[in-house]
Amino acid sequence: MNLETTEKLRPDADGLARAADLLAAGRLVAFPTETVYGLGADARNATAVAGIFAAKGRPAFNPLIVHVADAAAAREIAVFDTDADRLADAFWPGPLSLVLPVRAGAGLSELVTAGLPTVAIRVPGNPVAAALLNAFGGPVAAPSANPSGRVSPTTATHVLDGLDGKIAAVVDGGACTVGLESTIVATGADGARLLRPGGLPAEAIETALGRPLAAAETPGTAPEAPGQLASHYAPEMALRLDCAAPAADEVWLGFGPAARAADLNLSPNGDLVEAAAALFAALREIDRLGRVSGKARACVSPVPDTGLGRAINDRLRRAAAPRPQGG
């Protein structure tokens, strides 16, 4: 049900000031990051954070990522160890979220952490996001700005497609440059663990640490970090993965030179960076093509499982997973 008129704000001084004022008033504001558009709320305001879950239809056991303007602000909220310091120095601002112990007195709503003793936190690299965080002056909880379980938005139009009338505003900062959510790493006594592959390749993180990342255990019903639910990032139509060619009743989402005849191609030249940036828009487009053609599912070409390909394949597997009943 639509409850309000969603403002579309420009990424200039006036638009960012308006967005910051709305956040301070406990309202929801979508904004661009280099990964995807986030749906922001004051992370210290429990009512505002609850509004995120209501607008998205998001399970309350699924924690949120807190966005801050710089590493100093992050250290006021979370307890950093040596690995976290090394990764923050190497990759912030950028598409890396760290899961760390919450600092006593951080003042975060418990809805942000889903009752866990840890918090996922990052410093986004998008200049519009940085300007908004500086204008607001506090931590902003921001999952992807889309209905829960659906395709993440990489433009303001995508945000409005799913949340128009359910949020106060969206700052239109153009298309996201990375196009995949942040990589999530937890650090602690057990070492550094990869909780979710994303826009920063795991290989780069391992180089910075000087050792391999440990894989996270598959979560049960209570995820340790965002994006770990088995069914997530889902388009309307069913997906068949790792197929060389489509059946007659399938839309073909291709990758690379071998799939130049595909209805859509994530990267005709086989560029994983280009494919990552195009993925979520392509998942939306195959739904449109399916509606036009009457086809009920899509065939997806294989994508190499290296570098950003690991994150692309992670999103595709979750998009293709069986949907929860009522989800």
Side-chain angles (χ1 to χ4, degrees), residues 146-261:
N146 56 279
S148 185
R150 294 301 180 184
V151 181
S152 299
T154 54
T155 69
T157 298
H158 293 165
V159 174
L160 294 172
D161 284 345
L163 298 177
D164 192 15
K166 298 180 180 180
I167 64 176
V170 56
V171 180
D172 186 354
C176 301
T177 55
V178 173
L180 287 174
E181 292 88 354
S182 61
T183 302
I184 302 180
V185 172
T187 69
D190 296 331
R193 295 178 294 127
L194 179 66
L195 301 186
R196 180 181 76 180
L200 179 65
E203 293 88 340
I205 298 170
E206 291 172 336
T207 297
L209 291 173
R211 65 180 189 279
L213 286 163
E217 295 181 3
T218 302
T221 57
E224 186 177 356
Q228 290 186 302
L229 295 177
S231 177
H232 205 52
Y233 316 106
E236 295 172 4
M237 67 166 51
L239 301 182
R240 182 167 67 94
L241 304 184
D242 297 326
C243 59
D249 64 344
E250 292 178 324
V251 176
W252 187 8
L253 177 58
F255 173 83
R260 289 190 182 276

Side-chain angles (χ1 to χ4, degrees), residues 64-305:
L64 305 177
I65 295 175
V66 174
H67 295 65
V68 292
D70 53 41
R75 288 183 171 88
E76 294 177 358
I77 292 170
V79 179
F80 281 61
D81 58 18
T82 300
D83 282 346
D85 283 332
R86 182 175 291 117
L87 294 178
D89 290 344
F91 300 114
W92 280 357
L96 172 69
S97 294
L98 296 175
V99 173
L100 304 170
V102 179
R103 187 173 294 281
L108 299 178
S109 163
E110 288 195 3
L111 285 173
V112 171
T113 61
L116 298 171
T118 54
V119 61
I121 193 163
R122 86 175 183 103
V123 178
N126 180 287
V128 176
L132 176 58
L133 291 166
N134 278 300
F136 175 61
V140 172
S144 57
N146 56 279
S148 185
R150 294 301 180 184
V151 181
S152 299
T154 54
T155 69
T157 298
H158 293 165
V159 174
L160 294 172
D161 284 345
L163 298 177
D164 192 15
K166 298 180 180 180
I167 64 176
V170 56
V171 180
D172 186 354
C176 301
T177 55
V178 173
L180 287 174
E181 292 88 354
S182 61
T183 302
I184 302 180
V185 172
T187 69
D190 296 331
R193 295 178 294 127
L194 179 66
L195 301 186
R196 180 181 76 180
L200 179 65
E203 293 88 340
I205 298 170
E206 291 172 336
T207 297
L209 291 173
R211 65 180 189 279
L213 286 163
E217 295 181 3
T218 302
T221 57
E224 186 177 356
Q228 290 186 302
L229 295 177
S231 177
H232 205 52
Y233 316 106
E236 295 172 4
M237 67 166 51
L239 301 182
R240 182 167 67 94
L241 304 184
D242 297 326
C243 59
D249 64 344
E250 292 178 324
V251 176
W252 187 8
L253 177 58
F255 173 83
R260 289 190 182 276
D263 299 290
L264 290 170
N265 196 312
L266 293 172
S267 174
N269 296 320
D271 184 331
L272 289 172
V273 174
E274 180 182 25
L279 177 62
F280 289 135
L283 291 178
R284 292 172 181 272
E285 180 64 9
I286 61 172
D287 278 338
R288 188 192 69 80
L289 292 175
R291 289 191 293 268
V292 170
S293 65
K295 297 177 179 179
R297 64 177 185 170
C299 159
V300 185
S301 294
V303 176
D305 203 39

